[in-house]
Amino acid sequence: AACTSPTSRDAMVWAPDVVKGKDGRFYMYVSVGSEIWAGESDHPLGPWANMLPDNRPLVKADAFGEAVHNIDANCFIDDDGRIYLYWGSGCNWVNGRCMAVELAGDMHTFMNEPRDITPPNFFEGAFMIKRNGQYYLMYSDGMAINDTYHIRYSTSDTPYGPWTEGPHSPLALTSPEDSVFGPGHHSVFRHKNQDYILYHQLAPQDEEYVLRQLYIDSLNYDDAGNMLPLSFEGIAPLAW
């Protein structure tokens, strides 16, 4: 009830994204009822309080009319300290749009008007990383309810694009021989100078959409800095 509004449309909750702010606190951006809601906490597991004092969504469902499905937010803090929020999808599995805006230090005030930065072959699930001065906007394409779902990425010299799709994109496609079906909507983290990608795929089932499984693989690059397709080999347990 704390994350619903007259424009929410429905009560589905998905795709939380948690980032540690420059102040050491934790900030969550989560999709609720086709809107982006923003929470803050002293602990990565909460409890969470709405960042906005009047308990409203950060991005309303109707913020851009029918042009953008406002879900799947990702917060990225650049190495110069500037903060960006990415989000967006399409309706009825078509016309995915990716929006971006710079955030103030309070992690919720928009520094400018959100802009459409949609990269090639985008549908949803934006996730930004930066490596050696290059911006890598990763995302999902296809339908999350079947084996068309897959992971792509594009690069740019700026956090807003313009974007060039990577030469090895898509990075992950359905591969029955590897028992992989519909890999997508991922996040990336670094451990001991190695990038890892955490993503979901569909579990074997008689119906679309219902069951998903989590998978993890190493994320690797060629000598030119291009991301390489996933091996689907998994990883050994990580020593922290």
Side-chain angles (χ1 to χ4, degrees):
C3 288
T4 57
S5 77
T7 55
S8 291
R9 299 181 184 172
D10 55 56
M12 291 185 292
V13 178
W14 61 87
D17 180 82
V18 176
V19 63
K20 188 175 183 179
K22 294 180 289 184
D23 59 0
R25 303 189 74 226
F26 295 88
Y27 298 89
M28 176 191 284
Y29 304 87
V30 61
S31 305
V32 183
S34 301
E35 298 181 314
I36 305 299
W37 291 73
E40 57 185 347
S41 176
D42 292 325
H43 192 279
L45 297 180
W48 302 94
N50 195 325
M51 282 191 239
L52 284 71
D54 52 356
N55 201 45
R56 60 182 168 83
L58 182 63
V59 183
K60 291 184 178 181
D62 58 1
F64 308 98
E66 297 298 319
V68 183
H69 190 194
N70 294 303
I71 61 172
D72 295 356
N74 169 240
C75 184
F76 167 71
I77 302 177
D78 207 341
D79 46 25
D80 63 1
R82 298 174 73 174
I83 308 161
Y84 301 90
L85 191 70
Y86 301 87
W87 75 91
S89 182
C91 297
N92 301 315
W93 304 112
V94 295
N95 300 327
R97 310 310 301 169
C98 184
M99 305 299 292
V101 71
E102 185 175 352
L103 298 178
D106 63 10
M107 303 296 285
H108 66 79
T109 298
F110 289 2
M111 297 289 288
N112 42 47
E113 287 296 317
R115 65 176 76 176
D116 185 335
I117 63 154
T118 305
N121 300 304
F122 174 90
F123 185 69
E124 63 188 10
F127 193 91
M128 176 69 82
I129 69 171
K130 189 177 185 182
R131 183 176 185 270
N132 297 331
Q134 182 101 122
Y135 295 89
Y136 295 75
L137 183 60
M138 305 177 72
Y139 45 93
S140 295
D141 191 17
M143 299 172 66
I145 60 174
N146 62 35
D147 62 6
T148 64
Y149 212 44
H150 55 276
I151 300 171
R152 294 180 178 270
Y153 85 96
S154 292
T155 61
S156 177
D157 294 328
T158 84
Y160 290 119
W163 304 101
T164 301
E165 188 161 13
H168 303 304
S169 181
L171 299 176
L173 292 164
T174 289
S175 177
E177 60 270 24
D178 295 306
S179 299
V180 174
F181 298 91
H185 204 157
H186 68 285
S187 60
V188 174
F189 66 94
R190 177 164 291 189
H191 178 63
K192 295 184 178 179
N193 208 37
Q194 171 66 51
D195 285 346
Y196 296 93
I197 181 169
L198 181 68
Y199 59 98
H200 73 64
Q201 67 149 314
L202 298 175
Q205 55 196 292
D206 295 328
E207 300 179 33
E208 293 182 326
Y209 197 80
V210 184
L211 301 174
R212 296 175 177 177
Q213 299 171 321
L214 286 177
Y215 284 74
I216 187 170
D217 276 292
S218 59
L219 179 60
N220 298 302
Y221 307 80
D222 65 19
D223 291 341
N226 301 304
M227 289 180 172
L228 294 172
L230 303 191
S231 67
F232 300 133
E233 294 177 356
I235 65 169
L238 296 177
W240 296 92

